[in-house]
Amino acid sequence: MPFRLDELVARLGGEIEGDGSVVVHRIAALDDAGEGDLAFVASRKYLARASSSRASALIVPPQARDAVAGPRIVTDDPYLYFARAAQLFSPLPAPEPGVHRSASVLSTVPVSAQIDAGVTIEQGVVLGDDVIIGAGCHIGRGSRIGSGTRLAPRVTVYPDCLIGARCIIHSGAVIGSDGFGFARTADRQWVKIPQVGRVCIGDDVEIGANTTIDRGALGDTVIGDGCKLDNQIQIAHNVHIGKHTAMAGS
């Protein structure tokens, strides 16, 4: 979706220097940008590259307001502005409501939900409006998933887990598997300790591909609102992660 610069500023704030009627079609990197692209300058150290960029417009910090020519949006945090503008250019697809004929659904789902091929939803599951459950996902009995949350294909949610609104959970993630809990006998055998807690995930959380979050042994494993977890992270039982924490590997 194309935007005029003045339309972007009306939505996201900032100030326009130059022609606000310039139309941009996408966000691009400084070195790759061309006609119709919007690029951003995170700091003054990129000004040399900005001056040679072929982008139709730039997002710049206040100290670079007059250092580059051409149309530009001036904002205190160009990187944050870039992120918000990128969401406008590449919005998440809207749900396509309906239950695929190959899905097995034992709970009532909202008419706005999208339930894709091969999904299994057990009894007692509660889904919010506009939820998307991707192909091959499994939702265990008694789990609750908030409005607007999206599960990519082949996510597994064990029983009685709570997932908030507007979350994104990527393929291969496992929510609510058993934690590693064992006691040892005198003859060195292992005795499993049942894991009877839950996983409670807040709103606006994103969980990367193949990440696993163990259910609590007695209490709950808790992921706070706004947390962002990278791919292939293991969260052990009874861990509490505070709001707006980001965890990533290198």
Side-chain angles (χ1 to χ4, degrees), residues 148-227:
T149 286
R150 298 159 182 263
L151 273 58
R154 300 198 177 279
V155 170
T156 299
V157 180
Y158 277 63
D160 300 315
C161 292
L162 306 181
I163 300 172
R166 301 175 302 279
C167 296
I168 299 173
I169 303 180
H170 291 279
S171 293
V174 178
I175 311 300
S177 51
D178 278 1
F180 194 74
F182 299 90
R184 209 165 197 186
T185 66
D187 60 355
R188 303 181 66 79
Q189 297 184 50
W190 294 107
V191 177
K192 182 177 178 61
I193 300 170
Q195 307 291 287
V196 297
R198 304 173 300 174
V199 171
C200 300
I201 296 172
D203 298 335
D204 302 301
V205 171
E206 184 158 354
I207 296 171
N210 293 323
T211 283
T212 55
I213 304 177
D214 291 345
R215 66 194 314 109
L218 297 175
D220 296 330
T221 301
V222 178
I223 312 297
D225 292 347
C227 286

Side-chain angles (χ1 to χ4, degrees), residues 1-5 8 21-26 36-38 56-57 89:
M1 179 185 296
F3 290 94
R4 290 165 47 119
L5 292 188
L8 288 175
S21 68
V22 168
V23 176
V24 288
H25 295 263
R26 66 168 189 153
D37 291 340
L38 176 65
S56 291
F89 285 105

Side-chain angles (χ1 to χ4, degrees), residues 51-76:
S51 63
S52 61
S53 176
R54 294 180 293 108
S56 291
L58 296 172
I59 305 167
V60 301
Q63 61 269 30
R65 177 191 300 267
D66 301 318
V68 293
R72 53 208 180 275
I73 296 173
V74 182
T75 179
D76 289 335

Side-chain angles (χ1 to χ4, degrees), residues 124-128 139-146 157 160-164:
V125 170
V126 177
L127 302 181
I139 314 299
R141 57 174 170 72
S143 291
R144 302 174 69 94
I145 299 176
V157 180
D160 300 315
C161 292
L162 306 181
I163 300 172

